[in-house]
Amino acid sequence: MDTGNTLLSIRDLHISFISDDTVSRAVVGLNFKVNTGETVCLVGESGCGKTVSSLAVLGLIPQPPGSIEQGEIIFAGRDLLGLSEPELRRFRGKAISMIFQDPLTSLNPVFTVKEQIRETILAHESPGAEALQQRLYKLISSVGLPSPETTLAAYPHQLSGGQRQRVMIAMAMSCNPALIIADEPTTALDVTVQDQIIQLFKSSVQDGSRSILYITHDLGVVANLAQRVYVMYSGLIVEQGPAATLFAKPLHPYTRGLLASLPGTAKRGSLLPGIPGSVPDPSDRPAGCPFHPRCSLSLEACKQRLPQLKECGQNHFSRCPILIHSKKSS
Amino acid sequence: MTTVRMEHNAILQARGLSKHFPIRKGFLQRPVGWVHALDEVSLEVPRGGTLGLVGESGCGKSTLARIILKLLEPDAGELVYQDREISGLPESLFKPLRKDIQIVFQDPYGSLNAKMSIASTLEDGLRVLGLPKHLRRERIGTLLEQVGLSPDIRNRYPHEFSGGQRQRIGLARALSVEPKLIICDEPVSALDVSIQAKIINQLLTLQKQLELSYLFISHDLNVVGHLSHRVAVMYLGQIMEYASTEDIFAAPRHPYTQALLAATPRVYPEQQNKQPLSGDVPSPIDPPKGCRFHTRCPFGDAECRQAPVPLEAKGSGHVVRCLKAGCDNRNFR
């Protein structure tokens, strides 16, 4: 899938959080990229570094306590890590925009929807009053909200959870960004509303010019939405590949464990295989493969050395030499 | 709603429960409207089994849970626990039964007292049971082991634990008074998948060991399908469909159930008949006339808007509130 039209590429990113006596290594050598027009999902459980990585793209990691120790974040040919704050501000909301998990706390309760979306547009462009009004109307109807007039005049508390998230999406799309980063945007919503929002994301990338980096822990959503998937565990990518391949033939024990944890695939009322143990503390990560203490396949070698990502199929990479080997020999 | 045949092996039966909350306004605080939280809800929790309750936010799931716990009194209908009517019972007579019905909450952060150690959280219930002090200590150890935690954590505080561990502590607290029925109000919704799997396993194991009955409330059909023996689907305070888990998943009759199933994200979709429901749930303050689902239903017509639709039996133990359930709407597109 490396067609040269890479929009965002993160190389060997290391992020740590330093407190009085501990250094918490949240991200330890992250590599991934998003191509133009592609929907990419970053999957993993709480504490694996998904959100921290996405915040780093927009330069939203508070430093200190955070510290980006090494790596580069290349967006459309420019390293975002080298930019100054005013330069970064020109990217935020314009070329790259972000949608957060909780639409209630990410909207300002004392301003109307109109004022908030208008602020985003005016921060980057200066359209005339007439053009601005038309653009707002168009945005509101494009995200499936009823009667633009009333919605624009509404305060966030007057809208339902699903409507608020649509407003957030309208705001994110207001400057026609090349990349939208969505951090668990549907986790707080009901399934039927979640479904509507996912359809909205799908239709927003249809013309092929926009990319989405979608962060979630819900594998069902990933299977519905993503073209490519990165599975993240303990600050690292452990498996990556096209969504269909990855779900059909997962080649990392963590991915397999996540899939086995899902109710709905196992026999009703049976115990779910799941994954024993819990995610390691980023300030005290096990040596070697970070997954080895929870892995049923682990060998002595897994405790010694961190395995590299190896190709195990077309565009499919895994960090588990044992499963890659067993696939080759079978 | 008497079309629901009562089974003899039910631990709890709700018969025609209704609850409307007044909306008061003005100086005299006169009611100006009513929130129709529950309307004639009848269902039963099988003894030693699980009843799953599904529906979107605001459909009355939690109101029902609070009525069963007698934290709220219903406006109409009765609640029968082990062949004994409990809905009208004064608190003095109900108190001995209170320990029988316990609840595990959704939010493992908000439902534990941050200033109480795990031991004192668990001890409260044991004190109410009248257990002497030296036995309490031992019992706390057993309880923690039962939910898969080490007894050594007893003197620690909630902030020291992860979400999954706190949910286990919440479960241990519910178990401490030896309940027969546990209401699980979205206990795994806030957890990561691998943690969720562990709590589901724990619930299944405990059910077998202690012959517990569960009322499992969730909006995640995959979780409900895995744990439940029977499933009730609620919409705007009414039961829309009520059947065995197999029937709900293999042959859903109500368009709302079908829409919920279609909207549930699956990793390995069996059939791709996507027709997203449009719009949001209408307000329970002024629910739609006729069938409450007609505003979002792909089959709704003039007939559906006219009069309230009754629950009707469609096959054994399968009730549906839909005028169109007779026609074959299984190829819902």
Side-chain angles (χ1 to χ4, degrees):
Chain A
M1 211 160 284
D2 193 6
T3 44
N5 54 357
T6 307
L7 181 67
L8 173 75
S9 131
I10 294 186
R11 287 183 210 146
D12 197 30
L13 186 69
H14 286 69
I15 305 172
S16 293
F17 289 88
I18 300 154
S19 66
D20 295 341
D21 47 358
T22 53
V23 178
S24 186
R25 300 186 190 285
V27 176
V28 283
L30 180 75
N31 285 290
F32 77 80
K33 63 170 190 244
V34 180
N35 294 325
T36 305
E38 201 181 26
T39 304
V40 172
C41 278
L42 193 57
V43 200
E45 294 179 280
S46 325
C48 71
K50 309 182 297 263
T51 300
V52 169
S53 317
S54 65
L55 291 177
V57 173
L58 285 171
L60 293 173
I61 304 269
Q63 306 191 44
S67 139
I68 297 179
E69 291 169 324
Q70 54 168 312
E72 41 188 23
I73 299 175
I74 314 275
F75 176 79
R78 290 188 74 176
D79 188 353
L80 296 183
L81 290 180
L83 296 184
S84 66
E85 187 61 28
E87 285 174 311
L88 263 178
R89 221 174 281 147
R90 283 210 298 275
F91 276 89
R92 292 182 194 142
K94 171 77 180 158
I96 310 174
S97 58
M98 183 138 186
I99 299 166
F100 297 94
Q101 172 171 359
D102 185 351
L104 185 55
T105 51
S106 16
L107 288 169
N108 191 329
V110 299
F111 291 105
T112 60
V113 168
K114 183 179 179 175
E115 288 163 321
Q116 299 191 49
I117 303 182
R118 194 175 56 185
E119 188 191 2
T120 316
I121 298 176
L122 293 183
H124 301 287
E125 297 166 43
S126 35
E130 186 72 14
L132 182 64
Q133 186 76 357
Q134 275 184 3
R135 189 145 148 203
L136 289 172
Y137 273 53
K138 220 173 130 197
L139 272 170
I140 290 294
S141 40
S142 73
V143 294
L145 282 165
S147 57
E149 196 98 17
T150 21
T151 311
L152 282 170
Y155 286 90
H157 76 269
Q158 295 170 309
L159 304 171
S160 71
Q163 287 172 333
R164 283 181 208 136
Q165 201 56 289
R166 283 175 197 268
V167 168
M168 287 301 295
I169 295 174
M171 202 184 291
M173 295 207 265
S174 61
C175 290
N176 204 15
L179 174 68
I180 295 181
I181 302 176
D183 189 0
E184 308 242 13
T186 62
T187 308
L189 305 174
D190 275 317
V191 278
T192 53
V193 182
Q194 166 172 293
D195 196 44
Q196 294 166 10
I197 300 287
I198 289 172
Q199 299 305 329
L200 183 59
F201 274 114
K202 277 187 176 169
S203 63
S204 80
V205 290
Q206 246 162 13
D207 65 353
S209 61
R210 179 170 295 140
S211 313
I212 295 180
L213 174 61
Y214 195 99
I215 298 168
T216 181
H217 67 263
D218 189 331
L219 293 166
V221 172
V222 176
N224 261 306
L225 188 67
Q227 283 144 21
R228 238 147 37 79
V229 182
Y230 288 92
V231 182
M232 204 169 169
Y233 182 76
S234 193
L236 282 169
I237 301 293
V238 292
E239 185 168 4
Q240 69 187 62
T245 326
L246 196 111
F247 288 124
K249 287 191 191 99
L251 281 176
H252 194 280
Y254 180 60
T255 317
R256 289 190 175 182
L258 282 181
L259 288 167
S261 300
L262 290 179
T265 41
K267 187 176 166 286
R268 240 161 237 152
S270 62
L271 293 186
L272 298 165
I275 312 171
S278 55
V279 181
D281 185 338
S283 61
D284 184 20
R285 191 172 277 120
C289 170
F291 190 63
H292 85 253
R294 306 174 73 186
C295 181
S296 60
L297 303 169
S298 77
L299 302 174
E300 202 48 46
C302 303
K303 296 174 195 162
Q304 311 290 340
R305 197 161 67 77
L306 174 69
Q308 293 304 305
L309 268 177
K310 285 229 172 70
E311 188 152 18
C312 52
Q314 203 179 7
N315 292 314
H316 186 183
F317 294 81
S318 162
R319 224 179 251 280
C320 182
I322 300 167
L323 282 181
I324 296 174
H325 184 75
S326 73
K327 186 209 170 198
K328 277 187 187 146
S329 56
S330 69
Chain B
M1 245 43 58
T2 45
T3 44
V4 185
R5 194 175 56 84
M6 292 297 174
E7 283 173 35
H8 293 298
N9 60 354
I11 187 163
L12 182 97
Q13 302 178 340
R15 297 179 188 155
L17 287 182
S18 294
K19 181 76 192 173
H20 297 172
F21 295 101
I23 303 162
R24 297 179 190 279
K25 267 204 179 132
F27 176 64
L28 294 172
Q29 291 290 297
R30 286 208 183 96
V32 292
W34 296 87
V35 177
H36 296 246
L38 280 186
D39 262 320
E40 299 195 45
V41 168
S42 299
L43 35 80
E44 50 200 54
V45 183
R47 197 183 298 275
T50 304
L51 171 68
L53 190 59
V54 211
E56 291 170 280
S57 333
C59 73
K61 301 179 303 239
S62 296
T63 303
L64 181 64
R66 290 169 68 190
I67 287 179
I68 294 173
L69 288 161
K70 276 184 63 90
L71 297 175
L72 281 178
E73 279 298 320
D75 296 338
E78 44 188 33
L79 199 58
V80 179
Y81 172 73
Q82 302 227 3
D83 301 324
R84 190 167 167 201
E85 159 131 33
I86 57 168
S87 36
L89 224 53
E91 186 57 32
S92 57
L93 290 175
F94 181 69
K95 206 166 177 193
L97 290 175
R98 213 170 251 295
K99 67 178 184 58
D100 278 20
I101 309 176
Q102 288 296 312
I103 183 165
V104 177
F105 295 98
Q106 168 171 7
D107 179 9
Y109 296 86
S111 57
L112 292 174
N113 188 332
K115 292 185 176 167
M116 279 164 83
S117 70
I118 305 310
S120 45
T121 297
L122 297 179
E123 199 172 0
D124 263 0
L126 301 177
R127 200 179 302 122
V128 172
L129 271 185
L131 211 63
K133 203 162 186 180
H134 63 282
L135 288 179
R136 281 184 226 157
R137 204 186 139 71
E138 199 185 304
R139 175 91 178 116
I140 289 170
T142 329
L143 279 169
L144 288 172
E145 274 176 0
Q146 243 170 7
V147 296
L149 293 169
S150 152
D152 305 334
I153 64 156
R154 64 176 73 225
N155 293 322
R156 291 164 63 182
Y157 287 83
H159 73 267
E160 298 176 62
F161 298 96
S162 67
Q165 287 171 321
R166 283 183 220 201
Q167 205 53 291
R168 286 173 195 268
I169 294 164
L171 190 57
R173 175 178 58 187
L175 290 173
S176 67
V177 290
E178 296 170 24
K180 298 194 170 67
L181 169 66
I182 297 184
I183 296 169
C184 306
D185 191 359
E186 308 246 15
V188 297
S189 308
L191 305 175
D192 272 319
V193 276
S194 74
I195 316 288
Q196 177 176 307
K198 286 182 189 136
I199 300 288
I200 290 173
N201 287 348
Q202 195 77 60
L203 287 169
L204 286 167
T205 316
L206 287 168
Q207 180 161 55
K208 256 187 208 142
Q209 270 173 11
L210 307 172
E211 291 175 15
L212 291 170
S213 311
Y214 296 136
L215 172 64
F216 194 91
I217 300 175
S218 180
H219 64 264
D220 187 335
L221 272 168
N222 289 332
V223 175
V224 166
H226 192 79
L227 280 162
S228 312
H229 300 91
R230 286 180 70 76
V231 176
V233 180
M234 273 181 85
Y235 187 76
L236 280 179
Q238 289 182 329
I239 302 267
M240 289 291 159
E241 185 161 8
Y242 180 35
S244 69
T245 310
E246 283 73 25
D247 284 354
I248 288 277
F249 280 82
R253 304 293 287 269
H254 198 285
Y256 181 57
T257 315
Q258 293 166 348
L260 277 183
L261 281 167
T264 304
R266 277 161 211 273
V267 174
Y268 306 107
E270 288 133 34
Q271 75 277 33
Q272 212 62 34
N273 50 353
K274 281 265 183 191
Q275 165 77 53
L277 274 188
S278 52
D280 283 318
V281 183
S283 160
I285 295 170
D286 193 14
K289 301 279 175 288
C291 172
R292 290 192 178 172
F293 185 59
H294 83 248
T295 52
R296 299 170 81 193
C297 181
F299 302 101
D301 58 18
E303 191 189 5
C304 301
R305 287 189 281 274
Q306 264 162 15
V309 179
L311 265 182
E312 271 177 62
K314 307 268 176 191
S316 78
H318 193 150
V319 289
V320 187
R321 190 189 296 277
C322 180
L323 296 173
K324 310 288 170 200
C327 30
D328 186 17
N329 55 15
R330 219 173 294 165
N331 300 323
F332 177 50
R333 269 164 220 289

